[in-house]
Amino acid sequence: MNQNTEQLRTDPIGRLLFKLSLPAMIGMLVTALYNIIDTIFVSRGIGPAAVAAIGIAFPIQMILMAVSSAVGLGGASISSRKLGKGDDAGAAVTFMNVLVLVGVFAAFAVSSAIFMLDSILTVFGATSEIMELSRQYLSVTLISSPFFMFTLAASAMVRAEGQAPYQMKVMLTTVVVNLVTTPLFIFTFGWGIYGAAWSTALAQVVGSVLMLRFFFAKNRRTELDFQWRKFRLRFGELKEIMAIGSSSFVMMVSQSILFVFVNIMLGTYGGTQELATFAILNKFMALVGMPIMGIVQGMQPIVGYNFGARQFERMRETIWTALRAGIAIAVFIWLTLQLFPEPLMRMFTSDANLIAGGVTAIHVLFAVSFLTSVQMLVNGIYQSLGKARVAMFLSLSRQTLFTIPLVFILPNFFGVFGVWLAFPIADGLTFLTAVGMAVWDRKLLFRPSEEEAEAKVTNL
């Protein structure tokens, strides 16, 4: 047992959760801030049409992210529990199965997207005004997507060993590369939207190289060793990886589908200005969710490891600590958005109509956004415990069961305002669903030792 996994067993929970969550939170928060700054560069350097074009392209990128994140999270859940049981060799085999899955999915998904690019953009709501800009952006970023997909999947496995600080370094490095090259390519070289695309592609390649360095460096600190001669595909484990990660996959794909439907409805009841507004709000939505995901990512290896090691009190303490921290951060971000919407919109544009529409959208869309932190954390707990079906249901609840139907129904009565109104209503319904599931499974989530004892009595 190495030092990375030993800390999951012995370190004080508060300090350990802070240690593992902070790098992920910083990395994700910086990434969210980068996306905001990058959008500012695109808006100021190219124009609102380019912002809308990237917003149309975003759902395609999210689907690719969903595949790699699902595989990585599924593998990380299995790997954490194996490490908790002392099965380091089994954890390494799981990692190799993760790499095979990501490679297969990346080849299929990217080639399919390139082949059907124009048709996809049309279905996703691209208007004639922004079609060419979307095509130019995606023609570059799709080529580099396999590098990004590998980085995302490998990052989850790195976190499973308690090596979140290295993942933070990788994310921060890619953000710095992007922040330096985006204004250089757009303003200095005059490459327009191609500049934004090539900047993103370069950062993705750099991230994958740094992640490879973690596993192949001579002084590496990982039990996830590449031993290809001993490797065998384990189809049962591949199935388990996909089952556990399917909740994250469904959540991200349903979010991508949601964005497509939102763009369609905004195009129907509004126009390019409303599409650009939503593209900007997407960045703030990431700002709300990414810090919470950082806490989830810090929590998961601790919960999974200690569940595997049957240290249930440490598991319970981790869950309560994560819930308190996640809700506090979500409330802080919510207050910032509600109190300062106009200054936030002015960072992107000086267009008075776009600012006014954005302020209204922020107030409505983020009205109860802090409630989503509970759903994300409860879903993360179920993933850590390998409860794929419940995690899948919770992932479906927000976008598929609630938001998408509301996005279709409410604009018929309220126009564009109805699109924004769909989000807070769905957030409230999702919160009630997550709390209900947590109460129903309170013994598994908060008192697993009692559930285990009851199961033994039942089996006598």
Side-chain angles (χ1 to χ4, degrees), residues 194-350:
Y194 276 122
W198 280 112
S199 175
T200 299
L202 179 61
Q204 290 174 345
V205 172
V206 169
S208 66
V209 170
L210 292 176
M211 197 57 68
L212 284 171
R213 180 178 178 273
F214 175 81
F215 294 105
F216 287 103
K218 293 182 179 180
N219 60 341
R220 62 181 181 270
R221 295 180 297 168
T222 176
E223 297 296 327
L224 303 178
D225 198 6
F226 286 83
Q227 298 181 20
W228 294 108
R229 293 182 180 180
K230 300 180 181 180
F231 171 66
R232 294 291 185 276
L233 275 178
R234 297 181 177 178
F235 292 100
E237 186 163 276
L238 293 177
K239 182 179 179 181
E240 186 180 1
I241 288 172
M242 292 308 301
I244 296 171
S246 61
S247 61
S248 291
F249 174 78
V250 170
M251 181 171 63
M252 294 186 71
V253 168
S254 60
Q255 187 173 10
S256 177
I257 295 171
L258 168 63
F259 288 170
V260 172
F261 290 153
V262 169
N263 285 330
I264 291 173
M265 298 305 286
L266 289 176
T268 301
Y269 290 92
T272 300
Q273 177 175 302
E274 285 73 22
L275 289 170
T277 298
F278 185 63
I280 292 171
L281 263 61
N282 276 342
K283 312 309 176 184
F284 295 130
M285 291 169 72
L287 188 65
V288 171
M290 284 188 173
I292 309 304
M293 278 304 301
I295 293 179
V296 171
Q297 291 179 4
M299 171 194 71
Q300 285 182 321
I302 309 173
V303 171
Y305 183 96
N306 285 286
F307 183 78
R310 322 315 284 171
Q311 296 193 148
F312 297 127
E313 181 57 32
R314 285 178 61 81
M315 170 189 152
R316 186 189 68 81
E317 184 182 352
T318 302
I319 290 172
W320 279 116
T321 304
L323 283 169
R324 289 192 293 266
I327 293 171
I329 292 173
V331 169
F332 173 78
I333 296 173
W334 169 76
L335 283 172
T336 301
L337 290 169
Q338 293 298 319
L339 293 175
F340 308 106
E342 185 171 341
L344 291 172
M345 285 299 300
R346 288 191 179 279
M347 294 191 304
F348 295 90
T349 181
S350 58

Side-chain angles (χ1 to χ4, degrees), residues 404-416:
I404 290 177
L406 289 169
V407 163
F408 271 109
I409 294 170
L410 295 181
N412 293 297
F413 301 97
F414 305 106
V416 170

Side-chain angles (χ1 to χ4, degrees), residues 144-202:
S144 64
S145 291
F147 297 96
F148 185 48
M149 294 174 73
F150 163 77
T151 303
L152 284 177
S155 294
M157 301 302 295
V158 169
R159 293 193 303 271
E161 283 196 290
Q163 285 278 37
Y166 187 84
Q167 182 216 8
M168 180 190 70
K169 293 178 183 178
V170 173
M171 294 182 70
L172 289 177
T173 302
T174 59
V175 167
V176 170
V177 170
N178 229 326
L179 286 177
V180 171
T181 56
T182 297
L184 179 68
F185 292 169
I186 291 177
F187 296 103
T188 304
F189 294 172
W191 289 355
I193 201 165
Y194 276 122
W198 280 112
S199 175
T200 299
L202 179 61

